[in-house]
Structure formats: C-alpha cells, structure tokens
Amino acid sequence: MINTFDWFSKWSVYNGEKTAIKIGESGETYTYRKLNEAANWLVTELKSKFKLGYGDRVAIISDNSIYQILLFAAAQKSGIILVPLNFRLAPQELDYMLQDSGSKLCFYNKQNINPDHLAFENPMISITELEKSFEHKAEGTVAELKEDDPVFILYTSGTTGFPKGAVYTHKMLFWNSINTALSLNLASNTTTLNCMPLFHTGGWNVFLTPVLHHGGTLLLFNKFEPAVILDCIEEERLDLFMGVPTMLKMIADEPDFVSRDLSSLKYLIVGGESMPIPLIDMYHRKGIPVRQGYGLTEAGPNLTSLHQDEAKRKEGSIGKPNFYVDIRIVDDHGNDVQKGERGELIIGGPMVSPAYWNNEKATKESRFGTWLRTGDVALQDDEDFIYIVDRKKNMYISGGENVYPVEVERVLLSHPSVKEAVVIGVPHEKWGECGVAFIVGDKDFSEQEIKDFCSDKLAKFKIPSVVVNTPEIPKNDTGKLNRKVLKASYLEKNEYEMN
C-alpha cells in the first residue's frame, strides 16, 4: 500500500539531502530525510506508549519550532489529527478547545503555558521531549488514509462567543498547495520564510505546507522581528515573503530599508487586510511586486490573488479566484446578485472544509448547499475583480489576530456590576485595530479594572484598550444593539486620536 499523503517519505527518496526546514534564529537545518526518519520513529512511539493512531487528536500549545513540523510529518503518516492551539489564550479558553476536540495528548512549551493552570486530564508532555525523535531512525509504517480525513482541527473565534474547530483535511492541503503554486509559481527551488504563528491557518498553509509539498526550503522563525526578517530576506535571497500590512510597514520603517538588496523577491504577499497605497509605493520603488489576497480558516487559505500589475489600479480589491477556487456573490436567499451589487461571498472547491468539528449546527449554518458562506459582504466589478465591502459580522483584526466582539462581551457581562456591554474595533496606529468597550454598569469602570477582570479569561490581544462608561447603548428598531451608530459616533468624537 502507498500513502500518497506522506510528502516527507516521497521527498526523502527523491531529494533526501535537500534542506526542508532551516531554523531562522539558530541556523540549524533539517533535511527531508532527517525529518522523515524522525517522524517514522515518532509514529511508532505514539502508538506504543499512548495507543495513538488514526483519528486520534493531539493538541499543541507552543510557539514556533521544528517540533510542530515533526508532528505534521507524523500526522501525514499515521492519520493522527493535530490540534494547534493559540498559546496566547487564557487557560479557560484553552480548556474549552481541549475538551471540545477530545484531544488525548497535549504537547506544550513550558515557556508558553503552565500545565498546572489547565483542567486537561490527559497526558501533557513538554514539546522539547520530541528532540529524542531525531536521535533515531525507523522504517515507515503505512496508514490507510482517505483524502477527506482530517489532518488539523483549526480553531477560529465564533460569533456565538465560543470557538469553532474547522476540520482541515488532507485533500484541502493538496488543493491549497496546487492553487498556491499556480498563482505564485512556487516550486522545488522556492526558498521562503514563515514567522506567522503555527496555530493559525496562515502560519501552516499560506507557504509552509505548499513549500513542503513541492520540496522547497522554508526558514522557520519563532516570532516576527522586522530587523531580523529584513536581514533574512536579503542574506538568504528569498523568493517570496508574506506578511500583514502592519508587519510590512514595520520592515519598511527600518532605517536601512531603502539601501537593502531585496531584488531576489519575486512577490510580496499581503493578507489580513488591504495594504495602503503609500506602503505599496515604498515596495514598488524597490522593484518588489505586491500581491494581495484573501482567505479564511475554513477554506484555502489561498483563495484569491490580485495580480501585482493591478495593485494600485484596483486598490482595495482581493483580486480574482485562484485556479481551483469557485466564487459566487449571493443575496440572503442564495441567489446570485448582479455585478456591482453587494452580497455575501460564498466559496466552492476542493479546498473548502467539510465541517466544523463536533458542531453540526454551525456547519449547517455556514452552508448554502455545498457552498461555504464566508459572512463577508462583497461585490464584483465589471472586470471581475472582487472587493470586500464589510468584514465578517463585527470582527476586527488586532495585530494580525481576529477578534470577535461577542467573545469579549460574554466575559464583560459575567461581571456582576455590568448590565450591558458592546465592543467595537477602531483604527490603531500600531496594531491596525484595537477594541473599545462601551459599558453600562452599576458604577463607572476604569480601563485598568476591565483589563484586570479580563486578564485570566481572555487573551491579551482581545482585552479592550479603551473603556467608555455610558448611561445607555443605542439600539435599532428591533431592540438590537446598534454597533454601527456606536462606532460612527465614537470615531467622529475621537477623530483626532485615530489619525
């Protein structure tokens, strides 16, 4: 039997001494053969010591390291399902996802999380214990995997206030890789880096998994530091680099940015939000083409691409669908709207998640038949370029992290003195956006009181930066909280602070 999903085994045969991963901070390298042999041994260990195999969930709470890549290789061989969790989350949030996923084992980094703070009752093992895997060699064991078998459960914040686990399958991995390669000319000679966290689909699937599928080389960084990343692009002669506009602005603000030789870059890939024209101009002046795109945890994530030649003419557009991506823009009943009209963007194709884990209701609500509802309001112009006109519900992005206000509001409303609470995202010079909490309570709250109350219940990036005490919160005709009025009023009053 041949496991066609086991990329490391294949590349170990074809080009085993090729560097697959280079650690950005240390310079240590791992070839495809070394990773393959270590993963073979790890699969045997997980089976013999923990009875883990096909379909079992294994959680990861850690910052970026070679050990996540090793676990990914083991998942492709054995059929275990990886559950990478955001180590920045509060213990209460992590416990929910560990329980919801039914994880039987958790690898953690003690520098990121104290296991004593979690209610998780199954084994927790320091992720550094996986270093032993590289001391051994083992023959591969073949698991019979199907293309719709999950390889990841990727948790995304939910509009209900509770996270949802998007099932990410081996089929999605393959077709996302093909879409990426066709769009960006990615191949076995590609060298790029990843400094995005490996608990997001962006960290795993924008470049990392497509590069490994195609036998390229990826430099893995633990975190984003603009000066270090700038050095890496120049010294390693990278082909591609992906970042959100905040990151790209920080790189461009480096004192010696203008004098650096970045001519090796074929493209600069932008995600998360639109890139401002002045920033596009800064990179274009250095001869670096800018390509913007769109994706989400539940599909792709490499779904659309705006060609670099259109970066300025089609400012704000997410471009056109990638090769194996189908899109429609529909009304509330699922009927296609006319070009130029607004509707909900829906996605079809082999890179769409089949379901949310253990959540039939959310899965059903996210579909128009076989089409995935993004919840994003979009329009398509006469030249077929797509524009996102409004974000998914009321979500905002702070420092590259998605924040759903309902999650924050649920915590605020658990305070005995808070009667009503609404959170909105507003522009922030450093983080892109930050949260403003409007509170109706039995008393006035200071920002520090709210931050202290939220500190053990929410990740730091979700905690509101501004607190506004108000006697009432505006509502619409049906009695629902009117966020649009609230946000417009706040921005008008505080315009001088937002510039």
Side-chain angles (χ1 to χ4, degrees):
M1 188 194 311
I2 298 175
N3 180 348
T4 58
F5 305 104
D6 184 0
W7 302 342
F8 294 88
S9 177
K10 291 283 189 179
W11 282 113
S12 181
V13 173
Y14 296 150
N15 199 358
E17 298 311 309
K18 172 78 175 289
T19 295
I21 301 291
K22 181 176 180 179
I23 304 304
E25 289 82 5
S26 69
E28 188 172 5
T29 61
Y30 296 82
T31 65
Y32 280 96
R33 179 170 291 117
K34 187 175 183 179
L35 280 164
N36 184 60
E37 292 171 345
N40 286 340
W41 184 83
L42 178 57
V43 168
T44 302
E45 282 291 288
L46 292 175
K47 183 177 181 179
S48 62
K49 286 190 176 180
F50 302 102
K51 311 300 180 188
L52 291 177
Y54 177 85
D56 290 323
R57 277 79 68 201
V58 176
I60 308 171
I61 306 175
S62 172
D63 51 8
N64 292 0
S65 74
I66 190 61
Y67 306 122
Q68 284 106 315
I69 313 301
L70 178 61
L71 285 165
F72 170 66
Q76 285 199 314
K77 294 172 181 294
S78 65
I80 64 171
I81 303 169
L82 300 184
V83 187
L85 300 178
N86 186 344
F87 62 84
R88 299 170 185 163
L89 298 177
Q92 184 175 316
E93 296 173 294
L94 291 171
D95 277 328
Y96 174 85
M97 289 178 276
L98 287 166
Q99 181 177 357
D100 182 69
S101 64
S103 293
K104 292 186 176 181
L105 179 68
C106 178
F107 288 100
Y108 73 98
N109 188 334
K110 62 183 179 181
Q111 295 182 352
N112 302 130
I113 187 73
N114 184 341
D116 293 336
H117 294 165
L118 298 174
F120 188 63
E121 296 180 351
N122 289 330
M124 294 197 67
I125 299 175
S126 172
I127 199 166
T128 56
E129 289 292 311
L130 292 174
E131 180 65 30
K132 298 174 183 176
S133 304
F134 294 106
E135 301 170 4
H136 302 276
K137 296 180 181 180
E139 293 297 323
T141 57
V142 179
E144 185 176 356
L145 304 183
K146 300 181 291 295
E147 64 176 11
D148 287 325
D149 287 336
V151 63
F152 295 117
I153 297 174
L154 299 171
Y155 276 90
T156 177
S157 297
T159 54
T160 61
F162 293 96
K164 296 178 292 186
V167 172
Y168 200 96
T169 66
H170 293 272
K171 179 170 76 173
M172 293 172 68
L173 272 180
F174 175 83
W175 287 105
N176 177 67
S177 175
I178 297 302
N179 277 323
T180 306
L182 287 171
S183 175
L184 302 176
N185 299 319
L186 187 148
S188 59
N189 60 356
T190 295
T191 303
T192 186
L193 69 79
N194 179 66
C195 55
M196 306 289 281
L198 293 180
F199 48 74
H200 281 169
T201 191
W204 279 108
N205 299 314
V206 170
F207 283 152
L208 193 154
T209 53
V211 165
L212 293 176
H213 182 206
H214 285 82
T217 298
L218 184 129
L219 284 92
L220 181 64
F221 284 85
N222 184 277
K223 58 183 177 180
F224 171 74
E225 293 183 2
V228 174
I229 298 302
L230 185 58
D231 286 343
C232 179
I233 295 171
E234 182 176 36
E235 294 169 6
E236 299 286 346
R237 306 300 294 163
L238 300 188
D239 304 278
L240 303 168
F241 176 69
M242 182 271 176
V244 298
T246 301
M247 295 164 59
L248 299 173
K249 177 69 164 58
M250 293 170 74
I251 290 173
D253 285 342
E254 286 295 305
D256 56 349
F257 173 77
V258 174
S259 63
R260 291 300 192 96
D261 178 10
L262 307 182
S263 59
S264 63
L265 285 176
K266 292 190 299 186
Y267 304 115
L268 190 68
I269 312 302
V270 183
E273 54 190 294
S274 295
M275 188 164 171
I277 289 294
L279 189 55
I280 292 175
D281 286 336
M282 290 185 71
Y283 282 93
H284 278 188
R285 282 195 292 271
K286 289 190 67 64
I288 303 172
V290 175
R291 296 190 69 143
Q292 303 196 61
Y294 169 87
L296 57 157
T297 304
E298 295 87 346
N302 301 324
L303 296 174
T304 74
S305 185
L306 177 66
H307 193 275
Q308 63 270 19
D309 293 346
E310 305 289 359
K312 294 177 67 174
R313 188 174 78 91
K314 294 293 183 177
E315 178 187 5
S317 172
I318 60 172
K320 298 179 180 181
N322 285 335
F323 204 87
Y324 292 104
V325 178
D326 295 321
I327 67 104
R328 292 169 58 203
I329 299 175
V330 301
D331 61 22
D332 291 341
H333 305 289
N335 302 311
D336 294 314
V337 301
Q338 298 296 314
K339 286 186 179 180
E341 292 183 2
R342 298 184 178 194
E344 182 177 0
L345 178 66
I346 61 177
I347 305 291
M351 65 300 120
V352 171
S353 172
Y356 290 112
W357 180 263
N358 198 29
N359 197 334
E360 186 177 343
K361 181 175 183 290
T363 300
K364 186 176 180 180
E365 290 173 348
S366 69
R367 297 297 195 274
F368 268 135
T370 60
W371 293 80
L372 176 72
R373 302 181 62 176
T374 67
D376 287 329
V377 180
L379 62 82
Q380 199 167 22
D381 69 13
D382 290 337
E383 298 178 84
D384 294 328
F385 288 89
I386 309 164
Y387 293 79
I388 301 295
V389 256
D390 200 1
R391 283 230 196 95
K392 188 182 294 183
K393 301 283 183 168
N394 306 300
M395 182 195 82
Y396 61 94
I397 300 175
S398 183
E401 297 277 5
N402 293 351
V403 182
Y404 283 82
V406 70
E407 284 190 284
V408 185
E409 291 159 3
R410 182 166 55 85
V411 170
L412 294 175
L413 290 169
S414 70
H415 193 291
S417 297
V418 174
K419 296 179 177 179
E420 289 184 302
V422 174
V423 175
I424 62 170
V426 299
H428 188 278
E429 184 175 354
K430 181 177 182 181
W431 302 117
E433 290 178 295
C434 70
V436 177
F438 296 84
I439 296 177
V440 178
D442 293 333
K443 63 170 187 173
D444 284 351
F445 291 87
S446 68
E447 287 176 10
Q448 195 56 51
E449 282 179 282
I450 291 301
K451 290 178 180 179
D452 289 345
F453 179 72
C454 294
S455 63
D456 64 342
K457 303 175 183 67
L458 291 170
K460 189 174 181 180
F461 62 83
K462 297 181 183 179
I463 297 175
S465 299
V466 179
V467 174
V468 178
N469 295 282
T470 181
E472 62 179 2
I473 292 173
K475 299 176 177 65
N476 61 22
D477 293 339
T478 62
K480 293 183 178 180
L481 304 175
N482 198 325
R483 296 173 188 273
K484 289 185 178 180
V485 169
L486 201 59
K487 184 170 184 175
S489 175
Y490 180 84
L491 290 178
E492 183 179 0
K493 291 177 182 177
N494 297 273
E495 184 176 0
Y496 67 98
E497 295 179 9
M498 295 297 109
N499 291 335

